[in-house]
Amino acid sequence: MPYRYAPYFVGFVLLVIMTGFWASYFGASEAIPLAFHVHAISSMTWLVLLIVQQVVVQRRAIALHRWMGRASFVLFPFLIFGFVMIINLTAGNYAAGKGPVTMALGPSFGIGMGIAIAAYLTLFYCALKYRRNVKLHAGYMLATPMILFESPFSRVMLDYLPWMNVIGSDFPQAILDTILISDLMVAAFALVLWAMNRKHGSPWLVAAGFTAFQGVVMWFAPFVPAITAGFAAYAALPQAVTLALGIAAGGAAAWMGWEAGKPKRKAAALPA
């Protein structure tokens, strides 16, 4: 089984999430919006699923691994649903003019989450499409935590490692500094993994592309009026519609990936 140390990598991402969101979520005393609970539960359950899947397949429990893979068909749309809930919460606060940070960076957060959703849809689709190739399948699944990394690590950087912000913008743009740096760190790590095994390295190239793109777009978003106008237009959409579209997108990626990964049927030979 490739990536024998994968459970430790995913566990590290979980640790970063706990650290980065301790003050604002895990250790918070005030009421937390439902969207954060859904996003936290779905995202962390996804990471735990990845760890357990790697462990059971390394122990040759293939049947259990496949059963858990089928369970991901239910979990994945829920994961996308959680992302959309966060976008909707941010969009609602932006439309209501709540908070200077939201008003300054809300469009950046919104488009960043949109790019993250696109990355998840792409990676999960490819993981299912190439499920008969163990290295590609594992790579695409294990690339998904990279998309999560920037959000908690940027908070770790702001709270505990401010010296890492070598860009040095004024607040609140400094928040986007840390997101960009976190994304570029992930992209660099992904490119190292790609260089170590280029034959089966496409998952890491995809992850590197999405994370670098996300960081750059988010950093420049406050200076692009079209992004601000687009996020304001999104905020006017009914939340039920966007949530339904999120679930549908997650389900479609799962179904399309599964269908694409089915073995090709050989055409029947024509009679002489």
Side-chain angles (χ1 to χ4, degrees), residues 95-245:
K98 293 183 179 179
V101 173
T102 298
M103 297 310 297
L105 306 183
S108 290
F109 296 151
I111 196 169
M113 294 290 282
I115 294 170
I117 289 174
Y120 264 102
L121 294 173
T122 302
L123 292 169
F124 190 56
Y125 167 85
C126 290
L128 294 176
K129 179 179 179 180
Y130 298 107
R131 63 186 180 275
R132 300 179 189 280
N133 183 315
V134 175
K135 291 184 178 179
L136 284 179
H137 171 70
Y140 280 115
M141 290 295 287
L142 292 171
T144 57
M146 293 183 169
I147 311 303
L148 276 175
F149 186 80
E150 59 81 16
S151 183
F153 190 74
S154 63
R155 291 170 181 260
V156 171
M157 200 184 306
L158 282 170
D159 294 340
Y160 307 110
L161 306 170
W163 55 269
M164 291 187 67
N165 184 0
V166 295
I167 302 175
S169 301
D170 293 332
F171 189 84
Q173 186 70 18
I175 296 174
L176 300 182
D177 291 354
T178 60
I179 291 174
L180 175 57
I181 293 169
S182 299
D183 270 332
L184 293 180
M185 288 172 57
V186 172
F189 177 61
L191 288 175
V192 170
L193 293 177
W194 167 76
M196 292 172 63
N197 184 3
R198 296 188 183 186
K199 182 179 179 181
H200 300 100
S202 56
W204 313 119
L205 278 182
V206 173
F210 270 112
T211 51
F213 180 66
Q214 180 191 53
V216 171
V217 170
M218 289 185 69
W219 198 91
F220 283 102
F223 311 109
V224 181
I227 294 178
T228 301
F231 191 61
Y234 177 90
L237 296 175
Q239 291 195 11
V241 172
T242 56
L243 291 172
L245 288 174

Side-chain angles (χ1 to χ4, degrees), residues 76-93:
F76 186 73
F78 181 54
L79 176 71
I80 303 302
F81 180 83
F83 273 99
V84 177
M85 285 192 74
I86 294 295
I87 297 177
N88 289 351
L89 178 65
T90 305
N93 290 338

